[in-house]
Amino acid sequence: MFRCVICGMIINEKNYNLNSNAFLNKHKDKGDLFYCPFCGVGKEFIQEEYEKDLAFYEELDPNTVKILDHAMKLEVFNGDFYNKASRLCKDFKNKKVFEDLSTIEFMHANIHRRLIGITELPKLADISYEKYDNDIKLLELAKKREEHAVAYYDKYFFQIENARIKKIFNALKAVEKEHIIIIIN
């Protein structure tokens, strides 16, 4: 049994290949993990000997809470976009990629939610993506959303003083960068 120190999820033989369409590398077996199948962070964040995950609540300065709140909302919007895009796209492969990306983005939102100590993800405006009437348009929008997420993590990294939160930001930023590669391929 393994556990991700970023999202806290247990990784075992039943779930190690979840969301596999959202990753460049595929796991060969549960002992050869490249990433967390729940949040997508790299193998350096997966441990057999597990003490505590990094996404726990502690009193944070107001600026960090604001940054995490905005990051949570960004990830909710992206998760919702991918959920809707999976229903709008025509290509089966794209549909599966969007479904898996949605799950991962919502996990990122939940990581931020836990960091700021709230119990539920926010309900945000319902956006229609019907005008993106083909897979190319949906993929272009997906790429822009991932680039925005990377830019967000880059921009606010230096405004955060908490080393644990910085470590999480870097881990999630790396996941978003991989999503860009998956989308453009």
Side-chain angles (χ1 to χ4, degrees):
M1 179 174 74
F2 297 91
R3 196 160 192 160
C4 175
V5 298
I6 299 294
C7 68
M9 297 298 288
I10 295 171
I11 305 165
N12 59 36
E13 64 279 345
K14 293 179 183 174
N15 62 26
Y16 74 92
N17 250 346
L18 284 177
N19 302 314
S20 63
N21 296 295
F23 300 104
L24 295 172
N25 295 314
K26 306 297 183 211
H27 299 309
K28 293 177 183 79
D29 61 53
K30 68 177 171 63
D32 187 28
L33 299 172
F34 295 111
Y35 54 82
C36 170
F38 299 98
C39 70
V41 299
K43 63 183 172 185
E44 65 272 24
F45 298 104
I46 299 170
Q47 298 178 355
E48 256 185 300
E49 298 296 321
Y50 176 81
E51 291 180 26
K52 186 175 186 179
D53 63 78
L54 297 175
F56 61 87
Y57 172 76
E58 71 176 347
E59 193 73 28
L60 297 166
D61 66 273
N63 187 52
T64 300
V65 171
K66 181 179 175 183
I67 291 168
L68 289 169
D69 181 65
H70 288 158
M72 174 182 62
K73 291 172 182 167
L74 180 149
E75 299 287 9
V76 168
F77 270 123
N78 286 351
D80 182 62
F81 162 72
Y82 285 125
N83 183 28
K84 291 175 179 171
S86 73
R87 290 183 259 142
L88 292 171
C89 70
K90 311 293 185 251
D91 182 78
F92 182 77
K93 179 183 172 237
N94 291 339
K95 178 183 192 61
K96 291 304 195 185
V97 168
F98 286 152
E99 286 174 353
D100 288 357
L101 288 173
S102 177
T103 303
I104 291 168
E105 300 297 352
F106 277 117
M107 178 58 80
H108 292 180
N110 274 301
I111 290 166
H112 296 306
R113 176 192 58 75
R114 289 173 39 214
L115 289 168
I116 56 179
I118 60 175
T119 57
E120 293 183 21
L121 290 175
K123 305 287 185 237
L124 303 177
D126 188 26
I127 298 173
S128 171
Y129 298 99
E130 297 292 328
K131 70 180 181 181
Y132 300 94
D133 56 0
N134 64 55
D135 286 21
I136 292 171
K137 290 179 182 177
L138 290 167
L139 289 165
E140 287 171 353
L141 182 56
K143 181 177 179 272
K144 287 179 186 173
R145 286 177 165 274
E146 295 296 342
E147 289 170 341
H148 176 70
V150 169
Y152 185 89
Y153 288 124
D154 271 341
K155 179 179 180 179
Y156 291 103
F157 178 85
F158 294 104
Q159 291 187 28
I160 294 173
E161 294 181 19
N162 185 301
R164 179 175 55 88
I165 306 293
K166 283 183 160 197
K167 190 173 195 174
I168 292 170
F169 262 43
N170 272 338
L172 297 180
K173 180 177 75 172
V175 175
E176 306 297 357
K177 284 181 173 182
E178 184 169 323
H179 290 174
I180 294 168
I181 296 166
I182 290 162
I183 290 164
I184 62 176
N185 287 331

